[in-house]
């Protein structure tokens, strides 16, 4: 059985499927030698031409020589572009492209100086170069496939697999084109020199030069060159193949020469085969041995409307209009200028476009050669397109899906294997431009693939960023943990205690800030609340701040040392006042509060200020009294100090009760004013309650100040005066209790809507009763104080037992005086239209007053019991 190489040596050929035999019309251009055209005044060099991601090596205004590189890049697919002649860079801007769409591409515009001066060229001996150096020189010369595809040549010269067969393509099957024919006739020796370089790089077992039988002169010239080349005998041969279009296609030529079919989506190198054009072999020889980059190529200029048809050496970047002018082009109406042949070329929308590395023909046919484009008709399903397809595709199905823009379905019918030869369009009786539909579908699929690839790259970058951020986070955490372990290892016992104390303070602060509903803070200077259902956030914050300030003051007092007896008590009172001020200041400096919390904070600051004023006044009065009083005996002095301490404690207690009551009333009213600020009824209610609270707070402060003065004035008097002071305190406490009861009545009644007539009347009566009680008790307290100065301790004890009946009598008379006091209440609150009290309403008011008397009596009895115990301590 013969091997493939044996069959090649015998000249065995295989038939390729499909194909057509259109008129060749090559005689218009192949009869004359390759010529030269005059230099153009301006050259348009698109950058880049092959590959992407390049950078310009020149700038505007630079002078360049012929062969100077204009671009540079690192991508394996990038091929540099060179200046086609000497001149100056006058513009770098988008210009129309040599494409059917004429879309603009970035272009270097070179104004030629007419000298056509070469840059310095480096010539080399082939034997002095290594394989990699040869490949690098081919790449730096910018050589691409000259058959029309413009595939980078250096990639084909450095395959990853072993190559058994190299095919030199000299078929040139498309009508009108004769560039390769004339090149083989005139430059056969240079072509064989290039083939020798390819043989050295790839070391194939066989090299086949394929030429169609319609080019006998070219075949004869190449056969003569083969016989004179230095390649091993039998390793290279010229093979003549039948003329048929498109036998010059890469895959079709491989099938004709070897009988093998390149799989869909694969390249010939996987079969151990590489195909190069004869023009590419010539360019390789020029680049490696003479150092010339690819700046010009042979182009066929043909057609009935060209006065001088033929093949010409045209520099890359030569404008098409300059070529047509130099060849005496005579246009017709609706003239077409086609780049490429009549089968695979495309008509130009603008002739101000340049010649490219893949441009092999400029065709300007007359109307007799190529008529007007016929009207597209409906497909008749004749199947001629499928018969003519050299790639064995189904052009009819591809057309349907491409026309319906179902590009995915078209791709499933192997649209990418279409070589766009135009055989299907040529044989179609309905004049359907099938190739145009396929090109549009391919462009859409390519765009979709590019977008998908960009999205995938973006996703990869995003994932890489997330991974990097996570690694950095873990690294920071590990570094922080390591640093913490080092600090703990180097930490002494004192430092550990300090850390523990700091943690304890933080925990205490959090616990204070998280005060929950229904809890009462019972510490010395804390805010007391009677609401068992909900604690306002503002009050909780005030209480927490007071607790912190108190703890700080206590720590300072312990550090400075403590006084004895009365001095300690004074310090405690002063500390409480200062704590309240510090706490309210702290609340004011914290984060922004709600309206309710701001009101609570203001109330706390006012109470703290009053307490501070009271404690500041007490020591001054005590000192003045002590300076103006003669010295006492040790026993009397001791008793006096005890009595003074009791008085101060009671004064403090009364002040706290007054402050607590005021705080409760004001916070309650604040809640009403904040939540119901848009309610007219609630506004009136809040105003009445606020007026009552202000009056109550003022009286409580005055009473606390009076009690303090009474207690402190007795510190330097005999023991008998101390007993009288205790009696005064009892009466003052009774008065405070009565006022508190009256205030409770007022607060409870003002909770009722102010628009309720009955509730308004009840409020007025209760307020009058409370004021009358307070007035009577104050008078009784003053009278008791005068009597106590001349009575003994035993007599004071007796009067204590009578105090309660006197208070009861006062409460009995308070009701009858209520009507007289009502105007004072009306002046405090807003004017309200009310009707005269009925008998039922007066009855209800009297009942409320009776309740108030009972509560006052109970409070007085409790104060009497406390006074009795205090008196016994003083007597002892």
């Amino acid at each position: 059985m013969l091997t493939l190489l044996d069959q090649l040596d015998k000249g065995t050929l295989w038939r390729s499927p499909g194909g057509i035999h259109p008129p060749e019309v090559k005689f218009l251009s192949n009869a004359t030698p390759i010529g030269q055209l005059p230099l153009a005044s301006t050259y348009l060099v698109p950058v880049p031409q092959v590959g992407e991601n390049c950078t310009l090596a020149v700038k505007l205004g630079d002078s360049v020589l012929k062969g100077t590189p204009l671009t540079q890049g690192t991508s394996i697919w990038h091929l540099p572009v060179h200046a086609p002649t000497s001149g100056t860079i006058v513009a770098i801007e988008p210009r129309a492209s040599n494409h059917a769409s004429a879309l603009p591409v970035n272009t270097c515009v070179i104004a030629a100086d007419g000298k056509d001066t070469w840059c310095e060229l480096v010539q080399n001996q082939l034997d002095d170069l290594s394989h990699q150096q040869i490949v690098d020189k081919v790449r730096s010369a910018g050589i691409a496939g000259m058959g029309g595809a413009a595939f980078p040549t250096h990639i084909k010269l450095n395959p990853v697999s072993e190559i058994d067969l190299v095919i030199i393509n000299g078929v040139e099957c498309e009508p009108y084109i004769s560039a390769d024919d004339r090149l083989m006739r005139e430059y056969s020796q240079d072509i064989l020199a290039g083939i020798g370089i390819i043989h050295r790089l790839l070391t194939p077992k066989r090299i086949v030069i394929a030429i169609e039988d319609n080019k006998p002169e070219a075949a004869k010239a190449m056969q003569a060159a083969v016989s004179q080349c230095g390649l091993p005998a039998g390793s290279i041969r010229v093979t003549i193949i039948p003329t048929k279009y498109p036998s010059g296609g890469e895959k079709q030529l491989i099938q004709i020469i070897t009988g093998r079919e390149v799989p869909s989506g694969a390249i010939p190198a996987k079969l151990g085969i590489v195909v190069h054009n004869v023009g590419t072999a010539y360019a390789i020889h020029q680049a490696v041995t003479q150092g010339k980059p690819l700046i010009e190529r042979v182009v066929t200029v043909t057609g009935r409307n060209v006065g001088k048809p033929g093949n010409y050496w045209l520099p890359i970047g030569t404008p098409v209009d300059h070529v047509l002018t130099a060849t005496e082009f005579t246009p017709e109406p609706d003239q077409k200028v086609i780049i490429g042949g009549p089968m695979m070329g495309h008509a130009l929308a603008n002739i101000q476009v340049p010649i490219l590395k893949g441009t092999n023909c400029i065709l300007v046919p007359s109307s007799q050669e190529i008529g007007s484009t016929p009207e597209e008709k409906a497909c008749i399903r004749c199947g001629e397109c499928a018969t003519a397809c050299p790639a064995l595709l189904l052009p009819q199905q591809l057309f349907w899906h491409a026309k319906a823009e179902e590009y995915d379905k078209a791709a499933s019918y192997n649209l990418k294997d279409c070589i766009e030869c135009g055989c299907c369009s040529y044989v179609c009786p309905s004049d359907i431009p099938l190739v145009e539909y396929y090109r549009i579908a391919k462009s859409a699929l390519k765009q979709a693939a590019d977008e998908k690839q960009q999205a995938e790259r973006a996703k990869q970058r995003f994932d890489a960023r997330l991974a990097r951020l996570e690694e950095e986070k873990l690294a920071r955490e590990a570094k922080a943990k390591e640093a913490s372990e080092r600090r703990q290892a180097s930490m002494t016992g004192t430092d550990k205690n300090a850390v523990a104390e700091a943690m304890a303070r933080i925990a205490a602060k959090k616990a204070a800030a998280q005060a929950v509903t229904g809890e009462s803070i019972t510490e010395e200077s804390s805010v007391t609340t009677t609401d068992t259902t909900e604690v306002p956030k503002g009050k909780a914050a005030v209480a927490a701040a007071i607790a912190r300030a108190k703890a700080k003051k206590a720590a300072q007092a312990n550090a400075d040392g403590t006084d004895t007896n009365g001095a300690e008590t004074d310090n405690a009172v002063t500390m409480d006042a200062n704590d309240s001020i510090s706490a309210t200041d702290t609340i004011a400096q914290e984060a922004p509060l709600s309206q309710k919390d701001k009101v609570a904070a203001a109330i706390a600051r006012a109470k703290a200020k009053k307490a501070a004023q009271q404690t500041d006044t007490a020591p001054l009065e005590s000192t003045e009294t002590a300076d103006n009083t003669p010295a006492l005996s040790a026993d009397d002095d001791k008793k006096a100090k005890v009595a003074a301490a009791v008085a101060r404690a009671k004064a403090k207690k009364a002040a706290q009760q007054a402050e607590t009551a005021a705080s409760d009333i004001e916070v309650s009213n604040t809640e009403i004013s904040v939540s119901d600020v848009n309610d007219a009824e609630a506004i009136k209610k809040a105003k009445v309650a606020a007026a009552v609270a202000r009056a109550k707070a003022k009286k409580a402060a005055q009473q606390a100040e009076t009690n303090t003065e009474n207690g402190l004035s007795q510190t330097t008097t005999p023991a008998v005066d101390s007993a009288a002071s205790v009696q005064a305190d009892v009466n003052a406490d009774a008065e405070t209790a009565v006022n508190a009861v009256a205030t409770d009545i007022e607060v409870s009644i003002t909770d009722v809507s102010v628009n309720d007539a009955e509730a308004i009347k009840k409020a007025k009566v209760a307020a009058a009763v409370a004021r009358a009680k307070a007035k009577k008790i104050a008078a009784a307290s003053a009278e008791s104080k005068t009597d106590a100065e001349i009575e003994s301790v035993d007599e004071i004890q007796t009067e204590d037992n009578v105090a309660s009946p006197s208070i009861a009598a006062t409460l009995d008379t308070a009701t009858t005086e209520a009507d007289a006091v009502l105007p004072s209440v009306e002046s405090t609150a807003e004017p309200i239209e009310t009707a005269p009290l009925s008998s039922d309403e007066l009855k209800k008011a009297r009942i409320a007053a009776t309740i108030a008397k009972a509560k006052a009596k109970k409070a007085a009895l409790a104060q009497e019991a406390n006074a009795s115990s205090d008196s016994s301590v003083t007597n002892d």
Side-chain angles (χ1 to χ4, degrees):
M1 182 177 180
L2 296 177
T3 64
L4 174 61
L5 296 179
D6 295 336
Q7 291 175 341
L8 290 175
D9 293 338
K10 290 181 61 175
T12 305
L13 297 177
W14 284 263
R15 293 176 56 88
S16 63
I20 58 176
H21 294 273
E24 298 178 2
V25 198
K26 294 182 181 289
F27 60 88
L28 290 176
S29 58
N30 66 359
T32 58
I34 301 174
Q36 292 277 356
L37 293 178
L39 290 174
S41 60
T42 302
Y43 287 83
L44 309 175
V45 183
V47 289
Q49 289 188 30
V50 179
E52 298 177 355
N53 302 326
C54 70
T55 57
L56 282 171
V58 294
K59 61 181 182 298
L60 189 64
D62 284 355
S63 296
V64 295
L65 298 176
K66 186 177 182 180
T68 301
L70 301 180
T71 62
Q72 56 187 6
T74 58
S75 172
I76 190 175
W77 296 97
H78 173 260
L79 291 180
V81 181
H82 301 79
T85 188
S86 59
T88 304
I89 305 295
V90 296
I92 301 175
E93 60 188 10
R95 293 290 184 96
S97 63
N98 187 344
H99 190 267
S101 65
L103 292 174
V105 295
N106 202 29
T107 304
C108 281
V109 181
I110 301 176
D113 58 9
K115 299 179 182 180
D116 203 28
T117 306
W118 273 97
C119 64
E120 183 179 357
L121 300 178
V122 179
Q123 298 183 1
N124 299 280
Q125 292 295 327
L126 185 59
D127 297 336
D128 298 335
L129 299 175
S130 64
H131 286 198
Q132 187 60 45
Q133 288 175 334
I134 294 175
V135 173
D136 292 341
K137 290 182 73 68
V138 171
R139 179 182 179 183
S140 61
I143 300 176
M146 308 290 283
F151 188 84
T153 301
H154 67 277
I155 296 179
K156 284 187 175 183
L157 294 178
N158 192 24
V160 296
S161 58
E162 184 178 355
I163 301 301
D164 296 328
L165 175 64
V166 172
I167 298 176
I168 303 300
N169 189 351
V171 175
E172 198 173 40
C173 59
E174 190 161 2
Y176 283 91
I177 304 175
S178 61
D180 291 344
D181 183 11
R182 294 306 311 186
L183 186 65
M184 289 187 288
R185 294 187 194 184
E186 301 178 30
Y187 297 92
S188 59
Q189 295 294 334
D190 294 332
I191 294 173
L192 260 295
I195 294 174
I197 297 173
I198 295 172
H199 183 272
R200 176 178 175 180
L201 293 175
L202 301 179
T203 62
K205 297 178 180 179
R206 294 291 188 274
I207 296 179
V208 176
I209 302 174
I211 303 175
E212 274 189 323
D213 56 10
N214 62 353
K215 304 177 184 60
E217 293 85 357
K220 183 178 180 181
M222 291 301 297
Q223 187 66 49
V226 167
S227 62
Q228 298 175 5
C229 72
L231 295 176
S235 62
I236 182 171
R237 58 169 292 141
V238 176
T239 299
I240 307 299
I241 65 172
T243 300
K244 184 180 181 181
Y245 179 82
S247 58
E250 184 179 62
K251 294 184 178 181
Q252 285 70 36
L253 184 58
I254 291 174
Q255 192 168 8
I256 292 171
I257 298 296
T258 66
R260 297 181 181 180
E261 183 177 356
V262 179
S264 175
I267 60 176
K270 290 189 176 180
L271 299 179
I273 303 172
V274 168
V275 180
H276 286 287
N277 185 265
V278 292
T280 305
Y282 174 83
I284 291 173
H285 165 68
Q286 294 287 313
V288 174
T289 60
Q290 300 183 24
K292 291 183 179 181
L294 179 59
I295 61 171
E296 61 181 359
R297 65 158 299 147
V298 179
V299 179
T300 300
V301 181
T302 185
R304 298 287 184 180
N305 289 340
V306 175
K308 295 181 179 180
N311 293 280
Y312 299 92
W313 286 105
L314 297 181
I316 305 301
T318 304
V320 172
D321 65 334
H322 169 74
V323 176
L324 296 179
T325 302
T327 56
E328 300 177 2
F329 167 57
T330 56
E332 295 180 354
D334 299 329
Q335 177 69 59
K336 288 184 178 181
V337 177
I338 300 173
I339 295 296
M343 302 299 297
M344 299 184 67
H346 60 270
L348 292 177
N350 184 358
I351 61 175
Q352 295 289 337
V353 296
I355 299 296
L356 303 179
K357 294 179 180 181
T359 303
N360 58 0
C361 180
I362 300 176
L363 175 62
V364 282
S366 64
S367 57
Q368 288 79 18
E369 294 177 282
I370 297 180
S372 60
T373 303
E375 181 181 357
E376 177 182 342
K377 296 178 282 292
C379 176
I380 61 175
R381 296 175 175 81
C382 62
E384 291 295 329
C385 55
T387 303
C389 180
L392 298 178
L393 301 178
L394 297 175
Q396 188 176 0
Q397 278 76 5
L398 294 176
F399 162 67
W400 291 337
H401 294 311
K403 188 174 182 178
E405 297 183 358
E406 298 174 349
Y407 302 128
D408 292 340
K409 292 183 178 179
S412 66
Y413 282 89
N414 298 322
L415 175 64
K416 61 183 179 180
D417 290 334
C418 175
I419 62 174
E420 302 178 16
C421 62
C423 292
C424 53
S425 300
Y426 184 83
V427 301
C428 180
S430 297
D431 297 321
I432 301 174
L434 297 172
V435 175
E436 300 301 326
Y437 284 103
Y438 303 157
R439 286 173 178 170
I440 293 173
K442 283 184 177 182
S443 298
L445 289 172
K446 184 177 182 301
Q447 182 178 1
D450 292 342
E451 292 176 354
K452 182 178 180 180
Q453 187 177 12
Q454 291 176 1
E456 183 64 25
R457 290 177 180 174
K459 182 179 182 299
Q460 291 176 358
R461 291 195 301 269
F462 180 73
D463 293 341
R465 179 177 179 272
L466 290 182
R468 174 172 52 80
L469 293 178
E470 185 65 21
E471 291 177 358
E472 292 176 356
K473 178 182 177 182
L474 295 177
R476 287 195 302 269
E477 291 177 353
K479 186 177 181 181
K481 183 177 180 181
E482 183 179 355
S484 176
E485 292 175 354
R486 287 198 304 268
R487 286 195 301 270
Q488 291 180 359
S490 61
M491 188 180 296
T492 62
T494 304
D495 295 337
K496 293 181 179 179
N497 293 336
V499 171
E501 292 174 359
M503 296 298 293
R505 287 195 298 272
I506 293 173
K509 183 177 180 180
K510 288 183 178 180
Q514 295 174 352
V516 294
T517 303
E519 293 182 356
S520 298
I521 302 175
T522 58
E523 298 172 355
E524 291 184 2
S525 56
S526 63
V527 176
T528 304
T529 177
T530 59
D531 189 358
T532 60
T533 60
E534 181 178 0
V535 176
K537 295 181 179 179
K539 294 177 70 177
V542 171
I546 291 175
R548 292 195 297 271
K550 176 177 68 66
K552 183 176 180 181
K553 295 286 185 179
Q556 293 177 352
N558 292 334
D560 296 338
T562 58
D563 297 334
T564 60
N565 298 332
E568 294 177 355
T569 307
D570 292 339
N571 289 336
V573 175
T574 303
M575 186 186 303
D576 291 336
N578 293 334
D579 291 343
S580 300
I581 296 173
S582 300
T584 54
D585 292 340
T586 302
I587 294 300
Q589 296 174 0
E590 288 180 354
L593 301 174
S594 64
Q595 184 66 23
K596 185 187 297 184
D597 294 343
K598 290 180 180 178
V599 172
I603 293 171
R605 287 196 295 273
K607 292 191 295 182
K609 185 175 180 181
K610 288 183 179 181
Q613 291 175 351
Q614 293 172 2
T615 55
D616 291 342
T617 306
L620 295 176
E621 293 178 353
S622 177
T623 304
E624 293 174 357
T625 305
D627 293 340
N628 298 327
T629 305
L632 300 176
S633 63
D635 186 42
D636 292 340
D637 183 64
K638 180 178 180 182
K639 293 180 180 180
K641 289 181 178 181
V642 171
V646 172
R648 283 194 297 271
K650 291 187 176 183
K652 176 183 175 183
K653 182 177 181 181
Q656 290 178 346
Q657 292 174 351
E659 291 172 354
T660 302
S663 176
D664 293 339
I665 295 299
E666 293 187 28
V667 170
S668 175
N669 293 335
T670 302
E671 293 176 354
I672 296 172
S673 64
V674 172
S675 60
D676 301 329
V677 68
N678 294 326
D679 189 350
E681 180 179 338
I683 293 172
K684 293 180 181 180
K685 179 179 178 181
K687 289 181 179 179
V688 172
V692 173
R694 285 195 297 271
K696 176 182 66 78
K698 183 176 180 182
K699 287 187 177 182
Q702 292 175 352
Q703 292 168 4
E705 184 177 357
T706 302
N707 293 339
T708 304
E709 292 175 355
N710 292 339
L712 294 177
S713 64
Q714 304 299 324
T715 56
T716 57
T717 59
V720 176
D721 293 338
S722 300
S725 175
V726 171
Q727 179 61 33
D729 291 337
V730 171
N731 294 333
D733 292 337
E735 180 184 352
T736 302
V738 172
N739 282 335
V741 172
T743 301
D744 291 338
I745 295 173
E746 288 182 290
V747 173
S748 63
I749 292 176
T750 54
D751 288 337
V752 184
S753 172
V754 295
N755 291 331
D756 188 350
E758 181 178 352
I760 294 171
K761 294 173 184 178
K762 291 172 68 178
K764 290 180 179 179
V765 172
V769 171
R771 287 184 174 80
K773 289 188 293 182
K775 182 176 180 181
K776 294 294 183 179
I777 292 174
S781 177
E783 183 179 357
S784 299
K785 179 180 177 182
T786 304
D787 295 339
E789 293 177 353
I790 59 176
E791 292 178 352
S792 64
V793 176
D794 295 336
E795 292 173 348
I796 292 172
Q797 180 64 32
T798 303
E799 290 182 4
D800 290 341
N801 297 330
V802 186
S804 296
S806 65
I807 295 172
T810 301
L811 293 175
D812 290 335
T813 60
T815 304
T816 60
E817 297 178 3
D819 295 334
V821 187
L822 285 175
S824 63
V825 176
E826 295 174 355
S827 62
T828 303
E830 290 186 354
I832 304 174
E833 296 294 334
T834 58
L837 297 176
S838 62
S839 59
D840 293 338
E841 292 169 346
L842 291 175
K843 182 177 180 180
K844 291 180 181 180
R846 289 191 179 93
I847 292 172
T850 303
I851 294 172
K853 287 189 290 184
K855 290 184 179 180
K857 182 175 181 181
K858 183 177 179 180
L861 292 175
Q863 294 294 336
E864 289 173 3
N866 293 334
S868 299
S869 62
D870 293 340
S871 298
S872 62
V873 172
T874 304
N875 292 331
D876 293 339

